[in-house]
Amino acid sequence: MPEALAPLTHAATLAGRSLRISRRNTDAVITSLMLPIMLMLIFVYFFGGAIDTGAQYDSYVMYVVPGVLVLCVGFGSAGTAVSVSEDMKGGIIDRFRSLDIGGAPFLAGHVAASTVRNLVSTGLVLGVALLIGFRPAATAAGWLVAIAVLFAYVVALSWLSAAIGLLAKSPEAAGGFTFLMSFLPYPSSAFVPVDSMPTWLHGFADHQPITPAIESLRGLLLNQPVGNTAWIALVWAAGMLAVAVGVSGVLFRVRTR
């Protein structure tokens, strides 16, 4: 095997390891799959009739599904922090280093596994959304851009979660830190229009990284004008990814020296 391909091979092997561990952790898998679906059903059937989202949406389910997709990404990516923290605490890193496996393949394996898990959970959420009345009208180009935005956020949030896992002193603390990623969709346009929120909250809701992702997905999937929101979402994802990769590299060296 060429030496240049060794990190990729190591990352793929470690991704397979992470997926096998996830498969054995049935409770966590079911929770990550079912929680976004339950939240979508609660908002659609419990609160949807009381929420005014504007005349351009035939029903509340048409408005809320893009936000739930991003929420699903946040839930799924947050688990990466716990799995990274467990590996750091369990001492398996010393074994990896004795096999000449560096920090980048180790973290990339966790991120790749998180990406696979997120693709499965997102597909499941979208399937349930179609069953309860979501009818996307996206063009082929719209679907491609929407998938690109979702994929970019999966990777960026998974790397950010990996960095949190390196920073946390225990898996329990890592789970607590990732609460922020799961919380961010709520003060955004995911479930209600930003204009319906208190005025003092508008600035944060409009300019946090989750809102442009949701707005671009909503416009793309419903074939509505998106302006520059897709580009803003991709810039946010690229910025978060760059910061997370750099910080996680430093933290890995500090934790393993």
Side-chain angles (χ1 to χ4, degrees):
M1 179 183 63
E3 186 176 348
L5 296 179
L8 294 177
T9 303
H10 293 160
T13 301
L14 293 173
R17 167 185 173 268
S18 294
L19 289 173
R20 288 191 296 272
I21 293 174
S22 297
R23 189 176 58 194
R24 292 194 292 266
N25 193 357
T26 308
D27 293 344
V29 171
I30 293 176
T31 300
S32 64
L33 291 176
M34 295 306 299
L35 191 54
I37 292 175
M38 293 301 296
L39 285 172
M40 178 172 63
L41 296 176
I42 287 171
F43 272 92
V44 169
Y45 291 114
F46 291 4
F47 307 133
I51 298 176
D52 181 13
T53 56
Q56 69 267 41
Y57 303 103
D58 296 334
S59 61
Y60 183 65
V61 69
M62 300 295 289
Y63 179 88
V64 78
V65 168
V68 173
L69 292 176
V70 177
L71 179 69
C72 180
V73 169
F75 275 127
S77 301
T80 307
V82 177
S83 58
V84 168
S85 182
E86 287 175 344
D87 278 349
M88 298 300 295
K89 184 180 179 181
I92 198 170
I93 298 300
D94 293 333
R95 182 179 300 178
F96 288 156
R97 296 185 71 186
S98 69
L99 296 173
D100 198 25
I101 298 177
F106 166 71
L107 296 172
H110 277 287
V111 171
S114 174
T115 301
V116 173
R117 291 192 299 265
N118 270 286
L119 291 177
V120 173
S121 60
T122 301
L124 182 60
V125 168
L126 185 57
V128 174
L130 293 172
L131 291 176
I132 64 174
F134 181 64
R135 297 294 180 264
T139 63
W143 275 110
L144 289 175
V145 178
I147 291 171
V149 170
L150 265 179
F151 182 80
Y153 271 74
V154 168
V155 175
L157 291 177
S158 295
W159 269 106
L160 183 60
S161 186
I164 292 172
L166 292 170
L167 182 65
K169 299 301 183 182
S170 68
E172 293 77 14
F177 285 149
T178 55
F179 169 78
L180 178 61
M181 288 196 298
S182 301
F183 174 76
L184 276 178
Y186 294 96
S188 73
S189 61
F191 301 107
V192 298
V194 172
D195 291 343
S196 68
M197 298 178 183
T199 305
W200 57 266
L201 191 56
H202 287 186
F204 177 78
D206 280 328
H207 299 98
Q208 58 131 316
I210 300 300
T211 297
I214 293 170
E215 289 297 313
S216 59
L217 285 177
R218 186 173 287 129
L220 291 165
L221 293 179
L222 301 183
N223 198 21
Q224 297 174 350
V226 297
N228 60 354
T229 54
W231 289 110
I232 295 173
L234 290 172
V235 168
W236 265 112
M240 289 188 294
L241 178 61
V243 171
V245 170
V247 169
S248 61
V250 173
L251 288 173
F252 186 85
R253 287 193 295 271
V254 170
R255 290 288 303 273
T256 58
R257 65 183 177 185

